[in-house]
Amino acid sequence: MVRDGGCATAAIALAALLTGCGTPGAPQAPSLNLPARVADLQAVRTGNQVLLTWTNPARNTDNLPMKDSISVAICRQQPDEACEPAATLSSTPGMAGKFTETLPPDLASGAARPLTYFVELKNARGRSAGRSNGAESLAGAAPGQITGLTAEQNREGIVLHWLPDGEETAIRLRRTMLTAPEKRPQQGLLAPPSEPAEQNLLVMQGGPKGIALDKDIQLGQTYEYRAQRVIRIYRNGTTLELDSDLSAPVRIAAVDRFPPAAPSGLVGVASTSQDGTQPTIDLSWRPNREGDLAGYIVYRREGNLTWQRISPAPPLAGPAFSDAHVLPGHTYTYSVSAIDQTGHESPRSDETQETVPTQ
């Protein structure tokens, strides 16, 4: 047998094929280096501007890291029309994408109507893997900016007033808590939970226009409010919004200067012990709901005598009290007040009268 070194002879060619000796692997197709499609495009319109946000992919469609900048083509489409170019910009792979467009006059006027945005990421050769998801917004004339916004505090919360517009359907209040929450345990029988620094509160217009009440506040905090009108359109199971520009801000400190409401529902029941030696009058009432409530104080009088506090020095934690210092055959009148953490005491409740039975 002739040997020609290694596995080059015809006699062992088949074996070489089976064992892979000297056989290169299958050739790999070159990467097209196409940026992966954007799938999280979002659009928010405020006034006559639309803000687009998305995430640029860090890898291409072959799952290889992208190093070069990405060309971003942005277009917008009205129903039954072609997608019109809005902008072309350069962006960095793996970074957040952002673009703000001021609508042209024809899209910033007329009735509210759907407007869908797309972004298409392209490589250096101008090739792409396709358009992003469609992010819907609204074309049309934006509602007028709110003016005359004011804020004042009452017992129920922060009352906001503004100059009303006869056409408004909804109002969004943007509330920012300007003071940092205190780093201490919460106090009070119904201490409120912590709240986020920024909140959006949607006020649907069904009652008086030009007024809203924010009950969800924490005393001791300072808040800033801005307001905007909102046009809402329901389309394909989702709600599209067209917002006005934000109003000028107004600030207010939520100060604890109001006492709790007077307790209500006070009732008394006289009873005696089984052996008849210890009569009592058991009182109960509806609980107050103030977040800074410290407790309750019980007052009693007999006949036309002066009212006396008969509950202990620390306020009662719950809406009940048992008066064991009573005498058979005597009639007593009771009233209850509520007190908060800073010592503000409410007006007294309606009175209740009870007579201790004689054996």
Side-chain angles (χ1 to χ4, degrees), residues 75-98:
C75 69
R76 45 178 149 68
Q77 184 176 30
Q78 298 187 71
D80 303 322
E81 296 185 11
C83 199
E84 298 181 350
T88 300
L89 54 136
S90 180
S91 198
T92 304
M95 301 297 290
K98 182 178 180 181

Side-chain angles (χ1 to χ4, degrees), residues 257-317:
R257 63 175 181 268
F258 298 100
S264 61
L266 176 63
V267 295
V269 177
S271 62
T272 57
S273 60
Q274 292 183 350
D275 59 7
T277 61
Q278 183 61 57
T280 61
I281 294 180
D282 296 318
L283 303 169
S284 63
W285 56 92
R286 298 187 187 95
N288 281 45
R289 297 299 181 186
E290 288 84 1
D292 64 339
L293 185 69
Y296 305 94
I297 300 172
V298 179
Y299 295 90
R300 184 188 75 181
R301 72 178 178 183
E302 187 175 0
N304 293 324
L305 298 179
T306 304
W307 286 100
Q308 292 183 334
R309 174 174 176 165
I310 61 172
S311 57
L316 299 173

Side-chain angles (χ1 to χ4, degrees), residues 4-359:
D4 192 16
C7 51
T9 65
I12 60 173
L14 180 59
L17 181 61
L18 295 176
T19 60
C21 180
T23 303
Q28 299 293 319
S31 172
L32 297 177
N33 196 31
L34 299 178
R37 286 181 67 251
V38 169
D40 62 350
L41 179 65
Q42 294 184 336
V44 176
R45 180 178 170 184
T46 302
N48 287 335
Q49 291 189 323
V50 178
L51 171 63
L52 301 179
T53 56
W54 68 93
T55 303
N56 289 310
R59 295 176 175 270
N60 62 22
T61 54
D62 297 313
N63 201 32
L64 298 175
M66 300 185 65
K67 298 180 181 180
D68 299 330
S69 61
I70 303 170
S71 176
V72 183
I74 302 173
C75 69
R76 45 178 149 68
Q77 184 176 30
Q78 298 187 71
D80 303 322
E81 296 185 11
C83 199
E84 298 181 350
T88 300
L89 54 136
S90 180
S91 198
T92 304
M95 301 297 290
K98 182 178 180 181
F99 173 72
T100 299
E101 178 186 39
T102 299
L103 290 175
D106 62 315
L107 294 179
S109 60
R113 54 198 184 275
L115 184 65
T116 306
Y117 283 84
F118 299 90
V119 298
E120 186 175 6
L121 307 184
K122 300 181 180 181
N123 61 15
R125 297 184 178 181
R127 303 179 66 180
S128 78
R131 288 178 180 172
S132 68
N133 63 296
E136 287 195 312
S137 181
L138 289 175
Q145 185 182 35
I146 284 179
T147 57
L149 182 66
T150 62
E152 61 181 351
Q153 183 182 355
N154 67 12
R155 185 184 298 276
E156 296 184 79
I158 302 296
V159 182
L160 297 138
H161 295 269
W162 61 90
L163 297 177
D165 183 333
E167 300 299 322
E168 65 196 25
T169 57
I171 301 294
R172 176 176 289 107
L173 301 174
R174 296 196 178 185
R175 187 183 75 185
T176 304
M177 186 170 61
L178 300 179
T179 50
E182 297 183 21
K183 301 295 183 180
R184 61 180 177 83
Q186 294 179 345
Q187 299 181 357
L189 300 178
L190 298 170
S194 59
E195 61 177 310
E198 295 186 4
Q199 289 181 285
N200 287 331
L201 312 172
L202 190 65
V203 182
M204 300 305 295
Q205 294 297 293
K209 295 182 178 181
I211 185 171
L213 173 64
D214 182 10
K215 295 182 178 181
D216 188 23
I217 63 170
Q218 291 189 19
L219 298 176
Q221 301 292 350
T222 298
Y223 296 96
E224 179 181 275
Y225 292 88
R226 302 183 77 181
Q228 59 188 161
R229 293 186 170 92
V230 182
I231 295 175
R232 311 182 88 212
I233 292 181
Y234 299 93
R235 172 179 164 84
N236 299 328
T238 61
T239 302
L240 301 179
E241 295 184 349
L242 175 52
D243 303 341
S244 72
D245 289 320
L246 288 166
S247 70
V250 61
R251 295 184 179 184
I252 185 170
V255 180
D256 183 7
R257 63 175 181 268
F258 298 100
S264 61
L266 176 63
V267 295
V269 177
S271 62
T272 57
S273 60
Q274 292 183 350
D275 59 7
T277 61
Q278 183 61 57
T280 61
I281 294 180
D282 296 318
L283 303 169
S284 63
W285 56 92
R286 298 187 187 95
N288 281 45
R289 297 299 181 186
E290 288 84 1
D292 64 339
L293 185 69
Y296 305 94
I297 300 172
V298 179
Y299 295 90
R300 184 188 75 181
R301 72 178 178 183
E302 187 175 0
N304 293 324
L305 298 179
T306 304
W307 286 100
Q308 292 183 334
R309 174 174 176 165
I310 61 172
S311 57
L316 299 173
F321 180 74
S322 182
D323 182 10
H325 296 86
V326 295
L327 297 174
H330 286 237
T331 299
Y332 300 93
T333 304
Y334 297 89
S335 185
V336 180
S337 66
I339 189 168
D340 64 19
Q341 291 287 336
T342 53
H344 296 120
E345 185 176 355
S346 76
R348 293 177 188 173
S349 69
D350 291 339
E351 301 172 6
T352 187
Q353 193 174 81
E354 193 68 19
T355 300
V356 182
T358 58
Q359 292 296 323

